[in-house]
Amino acid sequence: MEEITYNTRGTCARSIHFTRDGDIIRDISFEGGCNGNLKAISKLCDGMKADDIARILGGNLCGSKGTSCADQLAKAVMSGK
């Protein structure tokens, strides 16, 4: 298992922490951001394949930011693949 920290860009959350076990993503947590919403996203995505997280959450936008915490999670799980 590999522990990963991904520094986000353009969001209220500053970073995302998770573990990768092959293609399975677990133990997701966000530093900063909307606490309740990000806890929910983390719970829903725990145990999912990276490709599925990216497919479902990629491109989800927050206002006019051009990204969102969910979109950044999609980018994070695909980084380093």
Side-chain angles (χ1 to χ4, degrees):
M1 267 201 306
E2 177 183 12
E3 292 185 20
I4 297 170
T5 296
Y6 181 86
N7 294 316
T8 61
R9 293 179 181 86
T11 62
C12 298
R14 294 177 297 280
S15 61
I16 304 170
H17 310 279
F18 59 94
T19 57
R20 178 190 305 277
D21 186 4
D23 196 36
I24 302 299
I25 305 300
R26 299 193 186 282
D27 306 317
I28 304 164
S29 65
F30 290 78
E31 185 177 328
C34 302
N35 189 29
N37 290 333
L38 297 177
K39 283 181 181 176
I41 288 170
S42 298
K43 286 180 180 182
L44 290 169
C45 292
D46 190 64
M48 289 179 67
K49 292 182 179 181
D51 291 338
D52 291 335
I53 293 172
R55 177 180 50 79
I56 293 167
L57 298 180
N60 183 23
L61 305 181
C62 182
S64 62
K65 293 181 180 182
T67 191
S68 69
C69 292
D71 182 57
Q72 289 291 296
L73 177 58
K75 291 176 183 352
V77 299
M78 295 309 288
S79 68
K81 271 193 86 172

